[in-house]
Amino acid sequence: MCFNTPGRGIGGVARPYWDESVHYTFSMDEVLALEADVEVLHSMCLEAVDHVVTAGRFRDFAIPEFAWEAVAASWKRSDPHVYGRFDLRYDGNGPAKLLEYNADTPTTLLEASILQWYWLQDTHPGDDQWNSLHEQLVERWRALKNRLPSGEVYFTWSAGDTTGEDHVTVSYLQETAAEAGFDTIGLAIEDIGWDVTLDRFTDLEEATISTVFKLYPWEWIFNDDFGKHVLRNLPETLWIEPLWKCILSNKALLAVLWEMHPGHPNLLPAFLDQPGLLTEYVRKPRLGREGANISIVAPGMEHRTGGVYGEEGYVYQLFAPLPEFDGYRPVLGAWIVGDSAAGLGIRESAGLVTDDGAAFVPHRIPQS
Amino acid sequence: MTEGPVPEEPRPGSMRFQDGTTPPREPTLAEQKAREQAERRRAEEARREAEEAARKQRIRRRIMNGAGVTVGLAAVIGIGYLITSGDEETAYCTDEDGVIVDDSNCVTPVASSSGPSGAYPYPIFIGAGGRQYHYTYGGSGTLGERVKGGTTTLPSDKTKIKTYTSGRTISGGRSSSGDGPSLGSSSGSTSVRGGLGAKSSSGSSKSGGSSSKSSGS
């Protein structure tokens, strides 16, 4: 698997994106503990959405005012969700800490679900892996069979992503939905039409679209020409991941979680717009991707990545450096499908920030 | 022994794809009626829409049946990106002497011509003053200069073709590139497209910068 963005190794040398020259091992007990952590984090996140909606704290998340009502309605309707990925700091000792939650548009799914599973079969056939992603995705779609407006689901990605990463991720999800019995249609999000006369979304055959899976961030939809149609047309045209996830995919979530659960073992202290009492912190844009626009402030070091994000403001999180193994620093991407933990994918980077130069490294649970 | 009810086999789902070559389906009667009603109310708007030029496209639909769907298609798509990336050719609009002129002289996207590539003579556009223009693929040169090398044979579907002076993608890229939202079509549809996703007309993707980044994270 290569998305035209090969990994970067120590000293900036090229590194394959899929790197099986190394792998991580976990004990079953560790995985069980991590699984429990992920499910606790998931339920805390749902609580946080409820709090934000009830208290009307949309401004803290830089959600445009015209979307507030629709976001709240989407949560109150329980618009169905499918999957998400928690990025965790874990050094083998003590509880995993939430670095951020990719709730809206997570990728690296195929690698975690399929590639590393076949790696395990080929190299350590007797061992296990924290990986029930495929089965759980199919199961999740099956569970949604009666909750979606029709048996037809459109799967869309942006043709603006020329690396193919989004298209591959979406097509994999499309396969899991088809396996669950949905009739699925793949098309680029740019090809979705708006029927101005009949006030509805249409596909290229001019048929009405009633359910869309999108690998395209909500905050971009807000600013797109059809953004207001999308909001106004809910739930006649239902979008997955649902609109309420724009609260979870926003780094302001980290501060709200800390506010609601100060001192929780799976959280790092985090604050909105100012570092509070933190003297060593990471400043993250509310809406940032792939490690862009991150600043690290700590005694004796100043680290900053470039990028195009940050106009919506920043969140300050305690600086907890990623553990280092042989010069590389792993982030655990723990998957949630529906409401249960479903698997793990590890990305390693040479630097402190996991960005688009990170490499995917498989893992296994040795037979005891 | 009594036999229990036979458990119903779950109906398998299906996978199919739509792209720029997908033709619109015929509207149902109810849709036609609803549209007529709405359009009567907006007669003014409708007239403008009706004036939009028609566009017919080649029919090619890929249908996959869900039965026995195994993971693999996603990988195939990934490989497709690997194969196609980097394959890019420039199309020069040239006059009958092979001198490179502005793209506006070669109006029609060449890729929409039917028939297998290269099997028919290259399309010729008659410009002002009766001059004839056509595209030359590959080669090199600058505006006003005679094109060096290149061919008039349309490259394969896999190749991305960019026009020289306007930088439009006329083949290989997605249908939505270049022209912006397109209004209407011959079959009475009123769908506007291009209101979601990347604005590719200027060549810069939504995600910013010169390199295209994933929407995912």
Side-chain angles (χ1 to χ4, degrees):
Chain A
M1 196 53 50
C2 170
F3 297 116
N4 290 359
T5 48
R8 284 184 293 278
I10 296 167
V13 298
R15 182 186 187 196
Y17 170 66
W18 168 267
D19 187 353
E20 59 178 52
S21 67
V22 286
H23 66 267
Y24 285 86
T25 60
F26 293 83
S27 72
M28 189 52 97
D29 286 343
E30 271 181 307
V31 168
L32 292 175
L34 286 165
E35 253 185 342
D37 287 344
V38 167
E39 291 183 4
V40 165
L41 284 169
H42 175 66
S43 59
M44 291 197 301
C45 284
L46 298 185
E47 261 177 65
V49 177
D50 198 58
H51 162 72
V52 170
V53 166
T54 311
R57 294 183 60 179
F58 302 110
R59 212 177 288 280
D60 283 341
F61 288 72
I63 295 169
E65 202 162 336
F66 63 80
W68 293 1
E69 207 182 306
V71 174
S74 155
W75 171 248
K76 287 173 187 157
R77 271 196 310 267
S78 303
D79 285 355
H81 60 288
V82 173
Y83 78 136
R85 194 192 72 225
F86 291 96
D87 282 351
L88 306 174
R89 178 200 180 278
Y90 179 68
D91 56 12
N93 300 298
K97 304 279 190 189
L98 177 65
L99 296 172
E100 55 189 70
Y101 183 21
N102 296 291
D104 187 18
T105 59
T107 54
T108 69
L109 178 66
L110 184 70
E111 299 89 306
S113 176
I114 301 297
L115 299 195
Q116 69 168 348
W117 180 254
Y118 283 112
W119 165 83
L120 184 76
Q121 304 310 311
D122 289 347
T123 59
H124 301 83
D127 285 357
D128 208 345
Q129 192 170 73
W130 181 9
N131 187 356
S132 55
L133 272 162
H134 188 85
E135 295 73 10
Q136 292 215 41
L137 283 167
V138 174
E139 202 41 56
R140 181 63 182 164
W141 286 115
R142 231 171 242 146
L144 294 184
K145 207 76 216 265
N146 298 321
R147 291 183 57 194
L148 300 184
S150 78
E152 208 171 56
V153 182
Y154 289 79
F155 284 81
T156 63
W157 67 96
S158 172
D161 167 40
T162 54
T163 65
E165 179 177 14
D166 292 357
H167 193 175
V168 167
T169 305
V170 166
S171 298
Y172 173 57
L173 280 158
Q174 185 177 352
E175 289 184 58
T176 60
E179 199 174 320
F182 280 100
D183 292 323
T184 63
I185 298 130
L187 86 168
I189 198 163
E190 287 80 6
D191 285 336
I192 290 182
W194 173 251
D195 187 327
V196 286
T197 324
L198 300 182
D199 253 22
R200 60 179 190 180
F201 285 102
T202 56
D203 66 9
L204 287 169
E205 294 174 350
E206 296 292 338
T208 308
I209 293 179
S210 57
T211 309
V212 195
F213 176 91
K214 51 142 200 80
L215 193 71
Y216 187 78
W218 274 109
E219 66 267 19
W220 290 0
I221 292 183
F222 292 156
N223 293 322
D224 279 347
D225 294 345
F226 291 173
K228 287 180 181 148
H229 300 320
V230 171
L231 300 179
R232 198 161 46 83
N233 224 44
L234 279 165
E236 281 75 31
T237 298
L238 204 58
W239 298 72
I240 298 172
E241 296 296 317
L243 179 54
W244 55 264
K245 279 219 170 171
C246 70
I247 294 172
L248 294 179
S249 62
N250 185 308
K251 308 277 189 313
L253 169 77
L254 301 168
V256 168
L257 284 174
W258 183 253
E259 208 181 287
M260 294 173 73
H261 308 274
H264 192 282
N266 295 122
L267 298 176
L268 292 167
F271 303 95
L272 288 172
D273 301 315
Q274 41 80 27
L277 299 173
L278 303 176
T279 53
E280 303 177 17
Y281 57 81
V282 183
R283 191 188 75 162
K284 302 176 173 185
R286 273 184 169 77
L287 302 168
R289 272 149 220 292
E290 299 186 321
N293 300 95
I294 303 267
S295 314
I296 299 174
V297 173
M301 74 170 298
E302 184 107 8
H303 182 93
R304 192 181 286 257
T305 62
V308 295
Y309 304 102
E311 73 174 60
E312 292 84 6
Y314 294 88
V315 172
Y316 294 76
Q317 187 183 45
L318 177 72
F319 176 50
L322 291 169
E324 195 178 313
F325 299 95
D326 299 334
Y328 285 101
R329 298 175 186 273
V331 163
L332 269 52
W335 292 92
I336 188 113
V337 173
D339 298 310
S340 53
L344 173 70
I346 301 171
R347 281 168 309 142
E348 263 191 354
S349 49
L352 285 163
V353 177
T354 306
D355 56 14
D356 60 357
F360 193 97
V361 175
H363 79 279
R364 68 187 170 98
I365 305 169
Q367 224 175 8
S368 48
Chain B
M1 287 285 284
T2 54
E3 272 187 34
V6 182
E8 204 181 310
E9 272 288 297
R11 192 185 70 85
S14 65
M15 288 182 73
R16 61 193 186 100
F17 296 88
Q18 295 182 347
D19 57 24
T21 60
T22 309
R25 65 149 168 72
E26 288 297 310
T28 66
L29 183 59
E31 283 171 343
Q32 288 177 37
K33 287 292 161 200
R35 195 179 302 283
E36 275 169 30
Q37 287 271 358
E39 281 180 353
R40 216 168 290 142
R41 283 195 298 272
R42 306 188 206 176
E44 209 47 56
E45 219 175 301
R47 202 173 310 138
R48 270 204 307 278
E49 282 159 6
E51 283 166 5
E52 287 294 327
R55 185 192 72 207
K56 285 279 183 212
Q57 275 177 320
R58 203 151 45 90
I59 298 169
R60 200 191 69 193
R61 193 196 299 175
R62 288 178 17 194
I63 298 180
M64 280 195 58
N65 290 319
V69 164
T70 52
V71 173
L73 194 70
V76 170
I77 288 168
I79 290 162
Y81 276 91
L82 287 183
I83 293 168
T84 54
S85 62
D87 253 2
E88 191 174 308
E89 264 187 28
T90 306
Y92 297 92
C93 183
T94 52
D95 66 11
E96 65 256 40
D97 300 322
V99 173
I100 300 170
V101 296
D102 194 85
D103 288 342
S104 57
N105 294 295
C106 294
V107 250
T108 317
V110 179
S112 65
S113 64
S114 55
S117 330
Y120 297 99
Y122 54 79
I124 289 172
F125 311 105
I126 313 290
R131 292 175 73 84
Q132 294 184 347
Y133 301 95
H134 65 269
Y135 277 116
T136 302
Y137 306 98
S140 61
T142 53
L143 196 65
E145 202 181 86
R146 188 181 276 271
V147 68
K148 296 183 203 69
T151 168
T152 51
T153 310
L154 191 60
S156 79
D157 286 355
K158 293 270 189 284
T159 309
K160 191 170 173 182
I161 305 169
K162 276 230 156 132
T163 55
Y164 175 63
T165 64
S166 61
R168 282 197 313 153
T169 301
I170 55 175
S171 175
R174 293 214 53 83
S175 60
S176 54
S177 60
D179 305 312
S182 58
L183 266 169
S185 79
S186 57
S187 58
S189 87
T190 55
S191 288
V192 189
R193 301 194 192 277
L196 287 170
K199 301 277 179 287
S200 46
S201 51
S202 62
S204 74
S205 75
K206 178 87 185 194
S207 40
S210 55
S211 69
S212 164
K213 289 238 176 166
S214 153
S215 316
S217 48

